[in-house]
Amino acid sequence: MNGDLPQYERIHDTRSGAMQSTGRTIRPRTEHLYHLMTSKNLPWLTLKVISKAPAPHNLPSFYEGETIVGTVVLQLEKEEPVKAVSIQIFGQMTSSAMDVLTFVQTSQILWSQSDSPSSSTHPGKLRGAYSWPYSISLPEYCVLKSSNRVNQQYPLPASFSERMARVHIQYQIVVTVHRSRFRVDSTLGTVIGYCPLIRPEAPSLARQIAYLESSPLIGPDGDPDGWKCLAPLRVDGSVFSTRTVEATCTLALAKPLCYTRGSVIPCLLTIETTDPQALDLLSAPRTPVVRLLRRISTQDATAGSAGAKTLARLDYEVTVQEVTAAVWWTDSHSRDPRCPQRRVLHGEIHLSAGLKPSCRLGKFELSYSVAVYPPRAVAFAPYGSAEAVLQQEPVVIGTVYAAGPRPRVHSPPGYDDASSSGQASEFRLFR
């Protein structure tokens, strides 16, 4: 990750420990069945995968630290020569040009000819029903070679596949029935979902108390450890096309700068100007434009232990997408009689539960930032482009909540992205 990004904790517990530490509700296990059928429409090879997906028709899904378990069932009506039965799990990064990089791979032999009893009259041939349980764990990291041929270690990324994406990250589990040299092997498998455990560090004590008591968040003045105040931003423009105004806007983001998807990014915006009319315009809740941006960058990458394949053509331009916009509101403390030239707006950026987490794999990187744009008001015209990004701050999107109380939504009822209508194009996720 970029060295400027906030630190976050990756959870590497056992399966039960991981579930307890993240506070997830224990979900009953789901059995997913996949078959190869005979000419009589009977299953002769079955792959059973156990996961915590909501239903059997969903893809099996796993969090970092979970062991992937299941059973392989073989039912042969007649005797057939079989060299071995194996199962493997692998992760691949694929481009639309059909370049494939296998960045992780692990396998397990379920049966081989050496397992045939010495008394067998037909060693290496199977007939009847067989069942083999399996248990496989993915490693925490994979190793890729950088452009200067140096091995670098990366946490396994989350599954990533979207309709308009140029790059896809996919995990599969495949069982193979290995046959003799002149016979074709049989394979059966399915795509599985994988999600790393990325947890923010605990917020400041003042914010934890606010979450516990369902009280408003204390701003940077009373909780300096709980906020990162960006550099003051000068905004110049004209009011009613008659006079020039100068204003200073200061955005503060709640620390740490790692936020769990499904929660919010608390924001605070301070506006200062000596023009009373401009101050009213710029401090209206619909005026500020602050957006969450997603950036995808991909260049060539080389696998290390996974076969040293190179994605020679995987070299695309950086793609930046607007995800969602902050919503703003005022409260009793927005105006301070002692500072009539200053207003404070409270805000939140609502994060979808389906938001893809931040990740980096070689020179593929999915990252996020909070961006500040010129304000939009009917009677205020900023100098320069209205779509210019004036300021950005990198943030990390995590997958599990920090230790302690969970973040609370503080925006008043009825406030959502529609309150910033026209200010952001919400990015639609395709699964």
Side-chain angles (χ1 to χ4, degrees):
M1 276 296 174
N2 189 318
D4 296 333
L5 291 179
Q7 297 296 314
Y8 57 87
E9 179 181 354
R10 297 187 60 86
I11 306 172
H12 302 305
D13 297 313
T14 62
R15 181 177 62 203
S16 60
M19 294 304 100
Q20 291 173 0
S21 65
T22 60
R24 285 195 192 89
T25 301
I26 300 300
R27 178 181 289 169
R29 293 185 174 274
T30 299
E31 184 178 77
H32 310 263
L33 298 177
Y34 307 92
H35 306 284
L36 284 182
M37 312 299 287
T38 66
S39 58
K40 298 178 181 180
N41 201 32
L42 297 174
W44 70 270
L45 180 61
T46 299
L47 171 63
K48 297 181 181 180
V49 184
I50 308 299
S51 84
K52 294 181 179 177
H57 64 268
N58 295 118
L59 288 178
S61 56
F62 302 92
Y63 281 90
E64 176 185 338
E66 287 188 300
T67 301
I68 301 172
V69 299
T71 307
V72 172
V73 177
L74 189 65
Q75 293 178 304
L76 300 175
E77 292 184 349
K78 59 182 180 180
E79 195 173 70
E80 293 190 26
V82 176
K83 292 179 63 177
V85 179
S86 68
I87 191 166
Q88 65 172 328
I89 299 175
F90 54 87
Q92 295 179 325
M93 181 166 63
T94 308
S95 77
S96 57
M98 299 307 294
D99 291 313
V100 178
L101 170 69
T102 301
F103 56 86
V104 66
Q105 185 173 4
T106 182
S107 62
Q108 182 178 334
I109 300 296
L110 303 178
W111 180 89
S112 67
Q113 284 185 351
S114 60
D115 296 327
S116 300
S118 56
S119 59
S120 175
T121 57
H122 300 286
K125 292 186 177 182
L126 298 178
R127 179 183 180 182
Y130 301 85
S131 178
W132 299 285
Y134 63 86
S135 176
I136 305 179
S137 297
L138 285 171
E140 297 175 359
Y141 298 92
C142 62
V143 176
L144 303 182
K145 288 183 179 178
S146 63
S147 56
N148 58 1
R149 313 301 295 179
V150 176
N151 287 345
Q152 293 186 344
Q153 196 176 65
Y154 299 93
L156 295 189
S159 300
F160 178 79
S161 182
E162 295 175 359
R163 187 178 302 171
M164 302 303 294
R166 303 288 295 272
V167 175
H168 302 267
I169 295 176
Q170 185 173 271
Y171 295 82
Q172 295 185 59
I173 180 169
V174 176
V175 58
T176 302
V177 177
H178 303 269
R179 304 183 186 275
S180 61
R181 180 182 304 176
F182 303 106
R183 299 193 63 184
V184 179
D185 295 342
S186 299
T187 60
L188 172 63
T190 180
V191 173
I192 61 175
Y194 177 80
C195 182
L197 298 181
I198 303 175
R199 181 171 65 184
E201 295 179 353
S204 67
L205 181 59
R207 185 158 347 116
Q208 292 187 55
I209 293 174
Y211 289 152
L212 286 172
E213 298 179 347
S214 299
S215 58
L217 300 184
I218 300 174
D221 292 340
D223 181 22
D225 294 333
W227 297 87
K228 177 170 184 179
C229 296
L230 307 190
L233 188 64
R234 177 173 168 175
V235 177
D236 298 334
S238 62
V239 174
F240 293 107
S241 301
T242 59
R243 66 182 185 276
T244 297
V245 297
E246 297 179 0
T248 300
C249 298
T250 304
L251 177 66
L253 299 175
K255 291 168 55 179
L257 301 183
C258 178
Y259 309 95
T260 305
R261 58 185 183 176
S263 65
V264 296
I265 301 178
C267 312
L268 207 67
L269 186 65
T270 303
I271 304 105
E272 297 176 278
T273 181
T274 57
D275 189 308
Q277 192 174 41
L279 185 60
D280 288 338
L281 292 172
L282 296 176
S283 62
R286 294 177 183 269
T287 297
V289 184
V290 176
R291 298 169 179 160
L292 179 68
L293 302 183
R294 188 180 79 166
R295 180 179 185 271
I296 298 177
S297 59
T298 312
Q299 300 177 30
D300 58 292
T302 305
S305 59
K309 296 181 180 179
T310 302
L311 295 181
R313 291 180 297 224
L314 196 59
D315 191 3
Y316 301 125
E317 296 179 357
V318 172
T319 301
V320 178
Q321 298 154 327
E322 298 173 2
V323 180
T324 188
V327 296
W328 302 95
W329 67 93
T330 60
D331 65 8
S332 58
H333 301 289
S334 294
R335 301 190 185 200
D336 187 346
R338 298 169 297 179
C339 301
Q341 301 174 348
R342 180 175 181 262
R343 301 277 174 83
V344 176
L345 290 177
H346 297 264
E348 289 175 341
I349 300 176
H350 296 176
L351 304 177
S352 166
L355 205 57
K356 303 297 184 183
S358 303
C359 76
R360 182 182 175 188
L361 182 65
K363 292 186 178 180
F364 170 84
E365 186 170 16
L366 191 158
S367 58
Y368 293 86
S369 63
V370 174
V372 182
Y373 292 78
R376 289 188 180 178
V378 175
F380 177 80
Y383 294 153
S385 172
E387 292 301 321
V389 176
L390 305 179
Q391 196 172 41
Q392 283 193 79
E393 181 65 29
V395 298
V396 170
I397 300 301
T399 58
V400 292
Y401 289 100
R406 291 192 177 185
R408 293 181 177 273
V409 176
H410 286 87
S411 51
Y415 274 66
D416 54 22
D417 288 343
S419 68
S420 301
S421 177
Q423 295 185 6
S425 56
E426 183 179 353
F427 178 72
R428 304 293 181 184
L429 296 174
F430 301 96
R431 299 182 184 179

